[in-house]
Amino acid sequence: MTGETNLSKLIKGMTPKLNKGEYVFASVKDVSNIDRESTVCEFKEREGVTIVIKREKADELGLAYNYVASWITLMIHSSLEAVGLTALFSKELAEHNISCNVIAGFYHDHIFVDVNDAGKAIQVLTLLSKKK
């Protein structure tokens, strides 16, 4: 199943959805004692493995973090080969002083924003989808 590549269709159909909960990014040297069902995703870096995990689970595991985020999913099936989607929505969020951390999955783009900016980010993304 191929995702959408047309930028206009992607923007119009992106339908941002705010997922429940608060999420954190933590770096760990060893993931073997962390249940993979608990993590949203992970990325191996030379310095350690970055995991995205619910805040309460990170607290339970005693993981250190300094950024608490809300997780927004763009509900359109975007192609990994699509050009311009990330640039367009990240620019729009930046113009509203909202930082974003983007993770592309096979089906959807996922945006992590500061927990205090979640409502504003949903509003900005929804307005963007309506004006394109």
Side-chain angles (χ1 to χ4, degrees):
M1 184 169 166
T2 304
E4 183 60 61
T5 59
N6 180 288
L7 185 57
S8 293
K9 288 181 182 178
L10 284 166
I11 295 297
K12 285 180 183 168
M14 65 183 184
T15 313
K17 175 189 168 229
L18 182 61
N19 296 285
K20 290 183 180 178
E22 294 181 347
Y23 299 84
V24 299
F25 288 64
S27 180
V28 297
K29 294 288 181 196
D30 181 14
V31 294
S32 64
N33 57 353
I34 298 174
D35 179 6
R36 295 311 252 293
E37 291 295 318
S38 297
T39 61
V40 174
C41 65
E42 63 184 56
F43 195 89
K44 289 182 185 180
E45 297 179 284
R46 185 173 356 115
E47 301 86 353
V49 180
T50 298
I51 61 170
V52 179
I53 191 167
K54 279 197 162 192
R55 180 182 194 175
E56 58 266 16
K57 188 64 178 178
D59 291 340
E60 183 183 309
L61 293 169
L63 299 176
Y65 59 85
N66 59 11
Y67 175 72
V68 180
S70 289
W71 171 16
I72 299 169
T73 300
L74 301 183
M75 298 308 296
I76 192 162
H77 179 187
S78 56
S79 169
L80 291 167
E81 297 175 327
V83 176
L85 177 61
T86 304
L88 194 58
F89 70 68
S90 63
K91 180 179 182 287
E92 193 73 20
L93 290 169
E95 288 176 0
H96 289 85
N97 203 34
I98 301 170
S99 72
C100 67
N101 295 279
V102 182
I103 298 172
F106 186 83
Y107 293 100
H108 305 284
D109 290 280
H110 304 275
I111 308 167
F112 292 85
V113 300
D114 186 285
V115 70
N116 297 312
D117 291 329
K120 186 176 168 185
I122 289 288
Q123 187 176 32
V124 167
L125 294 168
T126 300
L127 287 172
L128 174 63
S129 72
K130 291 179 179 179
K131 72 179 182 182
K132 289 288 174 186

